[in-house]
């Protein structure tokens, strides 16, 4: 059992957004994890990008799913009543393309879930498509606007693409964020050498990004709110490293594609790890 921002979680192993959809397919796993971050929910339904959407690299995945989801109204009507029956904490990953969209999505969902994870990695359509997450001031404004509309926990999922997550994290915390989650996928590309053009341009996840993700978590160690760390975790030992770096909880993402039951093993082994080796701060 752990406690973050006054809320109890049965363990510190959470499922990252986008890899378990809404957690309904592998209920046995969803019911055992500390929390589940839903697939990103947008204001309007999205069909996502044409194939190829996922490419396997030697040490991870490049994905460009394009935020396929039913939109917030359909989510609230059809999916939410079903996922609320899961025995885990549910955080909705909110994907706005403008500040106002973040607010509208949060308002539509209201108090029906345990909290929100703001995905600030989306392109800001009002500012020429630059990722919100690269601009600390815009991130702060989004959090301030959402904070006014909900008393539920607000976690901000940061990008580490071309920016220092410590600066954006501080802006989000100053604006009232309850926790920071990181990292989201990193920019990546794969070329089709026959056609001499990109095969896929998307976000890199999996073990390839783990050392960088770990560094980002460590960089936030002085932050006054909990950090939920993830990126390339495939074992309890990896998870424990994130805890040593300062994470209060960890997320499992791409590993769930290879083995959807991996979270069960990691929960069990991490518990053993932590009881055998008391975590201590490294600094
Ligand atoms: C197929 C796929 C879809 C994803 N969809 C989302 C999403 O909708 N919202 C979000 O914030 N992150 C999304 N992510 C990012 C993951 O939640 C996670 O932050 C990232 O994959 C790094 O963790 P990992 O290396 O353990 O996979 C997605 C990742 C993958 C692989």
């Amino acid at each position: 059992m752990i406690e973050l921002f006054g809320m109890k979680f049965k363990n510190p192993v959470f499922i990252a957004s986008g890899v378990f959809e809404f957690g309904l397919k592998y209920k046995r796993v969803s019911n055992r994890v500390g929390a589940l971050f839903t697939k990103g929910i947008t204001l309007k339904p999205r069909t996502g990008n044409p194939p190829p959407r996922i490419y396997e690299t030697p040490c991870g995945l490049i994905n460009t799913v394009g935020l396929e989801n039913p939109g917030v109204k359909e989510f609230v009507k059809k999916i939410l009543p079903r996922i609320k029956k899961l025995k885990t904490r549910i955080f909705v990953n909110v994907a706005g393309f403008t500040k106002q969209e973040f607010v509208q999505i949060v308002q539509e969902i209201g108090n029906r879930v345990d909290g929100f994870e703001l995905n600030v990695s989306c392109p800001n359509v009002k500012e020429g498509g630059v990722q919100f997450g690269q601009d600390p001031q815009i991130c702060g404004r989004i959090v301030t606007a959402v904070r006014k509309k909900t008393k539920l926990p607000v976690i901000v999922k940061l990008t580490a693409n071309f920016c220092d997550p410590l600066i954006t994290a501080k802006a989000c915390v100053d604006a009232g964020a309850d926790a920071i989650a990181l990292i989201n996928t990193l920019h990546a590309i794969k070329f089709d050498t026959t056609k001499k053009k990109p095969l896929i341009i998307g976000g890199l996840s999996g073990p390839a990004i783990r050392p960088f993700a770990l560094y980002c978590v460590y960089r936030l160690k002085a932050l006054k709110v909990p950090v939920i760390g993830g990126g390339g975790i495939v074992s309890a030992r990896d998870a424990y490293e994130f805890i040593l770096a300062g994470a209060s909880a960890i997320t499992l993402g791409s590993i769930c594609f290879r083995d959807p039951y991996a979270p069960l093993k990691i929960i069990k082994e991490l518990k053993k790890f932590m009881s055998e080796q008391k975590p201590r701060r490294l600094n």
Side-chain angles (χ1 to χ4, degrees):
M1 181 83 82
I2 62 158
E3 194 171 323
L4 304 178
F5 33 77
M7 186 177 266
K8 290 193 167 60
F9 296 80
K10 56 181 132 185
N11 60 61
V13 177
F14 300 174
I15 299 289
S17 172
V19 296
F20 248 32
E21 211 180 33
F22 299 109
L24 294 164
K25 195 163 173 196
Y26 297 100
K27 286 188 190 157
R28 188 158 74 86
V29 181
S30 301
N31 286 335
R32 292 278 300 282
V33 294
L36 185 122
F37 293 102
T38 69
K39 175 70 196 157
I41 299 295
T42 51
L43 193 59
K44 300 265 178 310
R46 284 172 64 90
T47 50
N49 292 332
R53 289 175 160 198
I54 293 196
Y55 178 84
E56 192 169 356
T57 71
C59 215
L61 300 174
I62 300 177
N63 94 80
T64 173
V65 171
L67 283 170
E68 178 183 349
N69 80 97
V72 69
K73 282 206 159 55
E74 188 79 356
F75 170 74
V76 168
K77 209 165 113 196
K78 300 239 171 92
I79 299 168
L80 204 47
R82 295 172 63 206
I83 60 175
K84 271 179 74 89
K85 291 186 189 139
L86 294 172
K87 297 182 190 72
T88 188
R89 297 277 186 202
I90 302 292
F91 285 78
V92 174
N93 183 277
V94 180
F97 291 98
T98 62
K99 182 179 77 180
Q100 200 46 38
E101 283 192 10
F102 278 97
V103 172
Q104 278 175 270
I105 297 165
V106 166
Q107 280 186 302
E108 286 277 354
I109 294 169
N111 286 332
R112 296 176 178 93
V113 292
D114 292 295
F116 298 98
E117 180 183 59
L118 309 182
N119 173 8
V120 292
S121 305
C122 305
N124 178 354
V125 293
K126 290 210 171 139
E127 304 280 346
V130 172
Q131 282 187 351
F132 289 108
Q134 289 164 341
D135 187 325
Q137 284 184 335
I138 295 179
C139 285
R141 274 187 243 135
I142 292 171
V143 176
T144 304
V146 168
R147 186 74 288 168
K148 283 186 193 148
K149 303 293 178 188
T150 182
K151 292 201 161 51
L152 295 182
V154 174
I155 302 167
V156 186
K157 168 103 170 261
L158 294 184
T159 176
N161 274 324
F162 304 142
C163 65
D164 180 351
L166 179 60
I167 299 173
T168 37
K170 279 183 175 164
C172 294
V173 174
D174 288 348
D178 296 286
I180 298 294
L182 82 174
I183 62 173
N184 213 319
T185 54
L186 298 177
H187 292 320
I189 189 167
K190 165 72 188 166
F191 266 80
D192 180 331
T193 47
T194 314
K195 292 184 182 156
K196 299 187 178 82
K197 61 177 198 180
L199 175 71
I200 186 167
I201 303 175
L204 182 66
S205 59
I209 70 170
R210 190 169 60 235
F212 180 65
L214 195 56
Y215 177 80
C216 290
V217 169
Y218 186 65
R219 184 150 174 75
L220 303 196
K221 63 188 181 304
L223 222 58
K224 298 263 181 307
V225 301
V227 173
I228 300 166
I233 298 176
V234 300
S235 69
R237 187 179 292 273
D238 298 340
Y240 185 59
E241 271 197 80
F242 275 76
I243 287 168
L244 289 176
S248 300
I250 62 97
T251 53
L252 301 177
S254 305
I255 180 64
C256 300
F257 286 113
R258 197 189 303 154
D259 176 8
Y261 296 96
L264 300 181
K265 192 167 166 235
I266 292 175
I267 291 168
K268 203 166 139 206
E269 289 180 2
L270 181 62
K271 202 170 163 193
K272 221 169 130 230
F273 235 101
M274 289 177 71
S275 62
E276 278 169 10
Q277 315 179 34
K278 288 256 172 282
R280 62 187 171 84
R281 292 193 78 96
L282 295 180
N283 53 343

